[in-house]
Amino acid sequence: MTSGITSGMTPILPPARRQAMRAAGFWPDRLLVDDLDHWAATTPDRMAVIGTSSLTGSRTALSYAELARRVRRLALGLVRLGIAPGDVVSWQSPNWWEFVALHLACLRIAAVSNPLMPIFRERELRFMLGLAGSKLFVVPRHFRGFAFPAMAGALRPALPALVQISVVGGEGAAGFDALWQDDSDTDSGGAAALFAARRPAPDDVIQVLYTSGTTGEPKGVMHTSNTLYAALLPYARRFGLGAADVVLMSSPIAHQTGFIYGIMMPIHLGATLVLQDIWNPREAVDLIAAEQVTFTMAATPFLADLTEAAAARPDDVRSLRTFLSAGAPIPRHLVRRAGEVLGATVMSAWGMTENGAVTTTRPDDPPEKTFATDGCPIEGMAIRTVDPSGGVLPPDQEGRLQARGASNFVGYLKRPEWYAMDEDGWFETGDLARIDADGYVRITGRLKDVIIRGGENIPVVEVEGLIHQHPAVLEAAVVAMPDARLGERACAFLRLREGETLTLDALCTFLRGRGLARSYWPERLERLEALPKTPSGKIQKNELRALARAFGGGAAGEGGAAA
């Protein structure tokens, strides 16, 4: 069944790519519901999803058999609403079991999943839901002090394609429970026939995920079952993960990290997924101890927080074998301290919404690779750096990073002209990087993240890494502030440890002692109570750049604490 053609979701999939990926064995032609059915039949009592809702305070633990039952009922509920193959179902859900079931139910009937971050509000949603032509919008009744149904209702007049708004925790026909608790109109045989008739092809678009943290119009990244599996399978093999593992996902599952490695990977493996809907490092330690978590993946700030929380309770995290950190460079001292406190192997990774995890370090890598790189490509992916004219660079030369391979996406929703893939399949990532002689990459910045001071590029990642080593610093970000004479200077935004102080002079003295060239030192320091971040933990440098613009015109010095 080919889905999405009438809604502008035709995948960009040249025949040569299809043939090459299948011939190499990177595309399994499998759906996630196949894995769900397998485990529900062979290990029905094994726990599939465990989570606690901050809305109700209740803990939900679903076995594979129970998850499959709820998914079946929910899929039938979607059909009763009139959801057809290729229709888009959008939802703003925290890390709750309903999210997992909703994606699987969409997959059952060839609907397209469109998870949306709970932080989005009217402006973003009006565009995203409108571009997707969403037929159903699912929201929580309440999350983090915000009432979502009123916002969704206010949006509805501007969204003519929207058939219904469903509320998790709501009552009556508008409540999410009404979609899956009614199982009266289709027997198991009829449901099986319906699902078989609606089964999507493995190269159909099944997921649209909007990129975050960028300026301009959000991009709706389109993926198929095959491209998502291509990100999942070699990743699980590299880390030796299997059915006995317990995966903690505190990073939002509405981001690609949480979606692929929090939802898809545990279900594929027959493992157990433990969800945390609001990040709290002390509660994460509790979950690790209670559920015997073995693996987790999140951004660097999560690792720092968990290490601090576990320092007083090291025995409670002994089940944790692996913490994969992505989204920001891991300071060397943090890797060392986290390894000591958690007793786990800490590894790094780099990837994008467009292709999942492209590179990771390996469990047996020497320390210098874990400390100083973002890993090497997973099976099925390749990377290279090129100069401004597109020429391939030799090892250890900084250039534009490009990626090619099995997990690359299949286009942007209704924007085929934005598909930045050349005729050989190389995708422009927008990152700057160096690749060493062993094939390990180090992300050095974004193309828009370069600070050029008097014609000289400042190595932002290197400077931030050194600042992180200062004992008073919890978090740091360095961005450009405009300067009338030099073009740009570096401004450091810092979050300090409680009770600590740090002046610009003291910071520069520290950096001098670390051997950093004077021209690379920050020329302004701003202390913040919190650095602005996306929910996945990435620092939002666009917001910091906006603040730094106010300090331009040659200004240098330091500011005080700010909220």
Side-chain angles (χ1 to χ4, degrees):
M1 175 176 291
T2 301
S3 66
I5 291 178
T6 59
S7 55
M9 291 188 193
T10 306
I12 302 174
L13 273 176
R17 185 185 182 197
R18 296 177 191 250
Q19 294 165 7
M21 295 301 101
R22 287 185 170 87
F26 297 136
W27 285 3
D29 289 338
R30 188 173 182 83
L31 306 182
L32 192 62
V33 287
D34 298 334
D35 292 318
L36 175 65
D37 292 343
H38 171 77
W39 298 115
T42 58
T43 58
D45 297 329
R46 182 183 297 162
M47 286 298 108
V49 181
I50 299 171
T52 301
S53 168
S54 59
L55 176 64
T56 64
S58 61
R59 177 181 183 272
T60 300
L62 302 178
S63 68
Y64 273 95
E66 178 59 21
L67 177 60
R69 185 180 73 88
R70 295 192 186 192
V71 167
R72 172 181 167 276
R73 288 185 168 186
L74 182 54
L76 295 175
L78 296 179
V79 172
R80 285 193 296 271
L81 277 183
I83 303 299
D87 284 347
V88 177
V89 176
S90 301
W91 61 89
Q92 275 190 295
S93 172
N95 289 11
W96 294 345
W97 75 264
E98 290 90 348
F99 187 124
V100 180
L102 195 49
H103 170 61
L104 290 164
C106 287
L107 195 54
R108 282 277 190 222
I109 61 170
V112 178
S113 295
N114 174 223
L116 300 165
M117 289 298 300
I119 61 168
F120 293 150
R121 296 296 182 260
E122 288 91 338
R123 182 175 179 274
E124 298 93 345
L125 292 172
R126 185 177 296 108
F127 172 82
M128 293 174 176
L129 297 170
L131 185 68
S134 305
K135 294 291 183 69
L136 171 66
F137 185 30
V138 180
V139 296
R141 177 171 56 83
H142 199 268
F143 183 65
R144 286 186 174 270
F146 185 76
F148 287 80
M151 176 186 66
L155 286 168
R156 193 166 189 171
L159 302 169
L162 190 60
V163 172
Q164 181 163 324
I165 296 167
S166 181
V167 180
V168 177
E171 298 178 350
F176 180 81
D177 286 355
L179 289 175
W180 68 271
Q181 288 186 343
D182 181 2
D183 193 28
S184 60
D185 60 348
T186 305
D187 60 27
S188 58
L194 174 66
F195 298 154
R198 289 197 172 207
R199 180 181 174 89
D203 287 336
D204 286 346
V205 173
I206 64 161
Q207 181 213 54
V208 171
L209 209 57
Y210 286 101
T211 56
S212 63
T214 60
T215 58
E217 179 181 312
K219 296 177 180 179
V221 177
M222 300 191 298
H223 273 284
T224 71
S225 289
N226 272 331
T227 58
L228 292 171
Y229 265 108
L232 182 164
L233 298 174
Y235 177 103
R237 286 194 296 267
R238 175 168 287 191
F239 301 119
L241 300 171
D245 280 291
V246 179
V247 176
L248 171 64
M249 189 50 63
S250 304
S251 186
I253 53 179
H255 271 274
Q256 203 66 290
T257 291
F259 193 96
I260 297 176
Y261 309 109
I263 295 177
M264 292 188 66
M265 187 176 72
I267 291 174
H268 168 69
L269 297 173
T272 299
L273 167 62
V274 178
L275 293 170
Q276 185 178 25
D277 67 351
I278 295 177
W279 173 242
N280 181 302
R282 291 182 297 277
E283 291 177 4
V285 173
D286 294 338
L287 286 171
I288 292 169
E291 310 298 346
Q292 291 296 285
V293 169
T294 61
F295 178 91
T296 192
M297 179 180 183
T300 304
F302 289 69
L303 175 62
D305 290 347
L306 184 64
T307 300
E308 291 291 321
R313 304 166 53 190
D315 290 342
D316 287 343
V317 295
R318 285 296 172 250
S319 64
L320 187 66
R321 296 198 316 270
T322 305
F323 192 117
L324 190 67
S325 182
I330 317 174
R332 180 185 295 259
H333 77 282
L334 175 57
V335 176
R336 183 178 296 110
R337 175 163 166 75
E340 293 171 352
V341 172
L342 302 177
T345 300
V346 178
M347 289 176 286
S348 61
W350 167 81
M352 302 175 69
T353 303
E354 284 85 347
N355 39 39
V358 178
T359 66
T360 76
T361 53
R362 300 174 183 271
D364 57 352
D365 274 339
E368 60 267 21
K369 294 299 187 188
T370 300
F371 291 149
T373 80
D374 296 290
C376 59
I378 65 171
E379 187 181 6
M381 294 301 291
I383 56 173
R384 70 180 187 183
T385 51
V386 299
D387 62 24
S389 65
V392 179
L393 292 168
D396 299 315
Q397 297 293 309
E398 184 183 71
R400 301 195 327 263
L401 181 63
Q402 298 179 333
R404 179 175 71 179
S407 66
N408 270 349
F409 69 127
V410 296
Y412 293 111
L413 175 64
K414 298 180 181 178
R415 301 292 187 268
E417 69 276 11
W418 289 354
Y419 195 53
M421 199 90 71
D422 69 15
E423 60 183 12
D424 295 320
W426 289 102
F427 171 65
E428 288 281 356
T429 67
D431 284 314
L432 294 171
R434 294 186 182 92
I435 302 174
D436 67 20
D438 298 321
Y440 283 70
V441 68
R442 182 57 160 176
I443 306 300
T444 55
R446 295 282 296 175
L447 287 171
K448 64 180 182 181
D449 194 30
V450 175
I451 300 174
I452 305 176
R453 184 186 187 276
E456 182 176 10
N457 289 1
I458 294 178
V460 172
V461 172
E462 179 183 353
V463 176
E464 289 173 343
L466 291 173
I467 294 174
H468 271 113
Q469 293 180 19
H470 194 288
V473 174
L474 270 178
E475 293 182 305
V478 176
V479 301
M481 62 180 181
D483 183 82
R485 186 172 69 87
L486 296 175
E488 293 177 337
R489 296 177 188 263
C491 178
F493 288 89
L494 308 182
R495 180 165 75 96
L496 303 181
R497 296 182 184 278
E498 187 174 353
E500 296 284 352
T501 61
L502 183 63
T503 65
L504 179 64
D505 287 344
L507 176 61
C508 290
T509 299
F510 178 83
L511 295 175
R512 180 193 296 118
R514 294 301 188 273
L516 185 67
R518 184 183 183 91
S519 60
Y520 294 166
W521 296 354
E523 295 176 77
R524 187 175 184 91
L525 184 154
E526 288 291 310
R527 297 181 296 276
L528 302 181
E529 295 293 335
L531 300 187
K533 297 175 188 172
T534 68
S536 62
K538 293 182 181 179
I539 294 172
Q540 292 180 307
K541 287 196 168 182
N542 56 324
E543 294 192 17
L544 296 179
R545 291 189 193 96
L547 291 174
R549 281 195 290 271
F551 311 139
E558 60 190 278

